[in-house]
Amino acid sequence: MKEWISDYIAAEKKALDSISVDAVAKAIETVRDAMEEGRQIFAFGNGGSASNCSHFATDLGKGSSDAVGKRFKVVSLNDNISWITAIGNDYAYDEVYQRQLENYGQAGDVVLTMSVSGSSPNLVKAVEWAKANGLRVIALVGGKRGRLAELADQCIVIEDTHYGRAEDCQMGIAHMICYAFMENPEWAKV
């Protein structure tokens, strides 16, 4: 078991080392621009990635907003289960995020989606709608990249296909985005 744990930690470090500093910095700047412009930020994913999006929205909406003194307009679209199940039941599960974006998304807003596979049909469909309607798209994807990597304006690739490690890295990136504002509030006001 100790050898397995050591191997897991080594693989986690390798996955973390694969994250592009430049790509994360660009994502942070896009989020800062959204705040300055009063734009909405929509986060969404499936499974563990959905949980990471919820956590991201909480940290950015509360902690980052408090530090900067200006409110981030951020929402996790995977948090309204009654809306998701109504859309999934009445239309199709692959429309659960697109149909929410149709209600709220406007040109210039930001989508941040997380997916280990990069190919989840509901995420791809929402991102296709976002791109067609002038929203800026940031995708955090695993080593398979998938369709989201092709569609996104900005893509941060985690070079691992293991769901646990990739999702750990997603949350690390989400924390970097949020803590960039919490720990550097004066930079955010530039």
Side-chain angles (χ1 to χ4, degrees), residues 13-77:
K13 288 177 183 176
K14 185 177 177 185
L16 284 166
D17 286 341
S18 76
I19 298 169
S20 166
V21 172
D22 289 340
V24 175
K26 189 173 180 182
I28 292 167
E29 290 171 7
T30 298
V31 170
R32 180 180 70 176
D33 291 347
M35 177 200 53
E36 290 176 352
E37 297 165 8
R39 300 292 185 177
Q40 186 74 39
I41 301 166
F42 303 101
F44 51 87
N46 295 304
S49 297
S51 295
N52 285 342
C53 288
S54 296
H55 191 150
F56 168 75
T58 299
D59 285 354
L60 191 68
K62 180 192 173 293
S64 299
S65 292
D66 289 349
V68 173
K70 187 171 181 180
R71 310 319 293 176
F72 285 91
K73 295 178 180 180
V74 60
V75 64
S76 173
L77 296 183

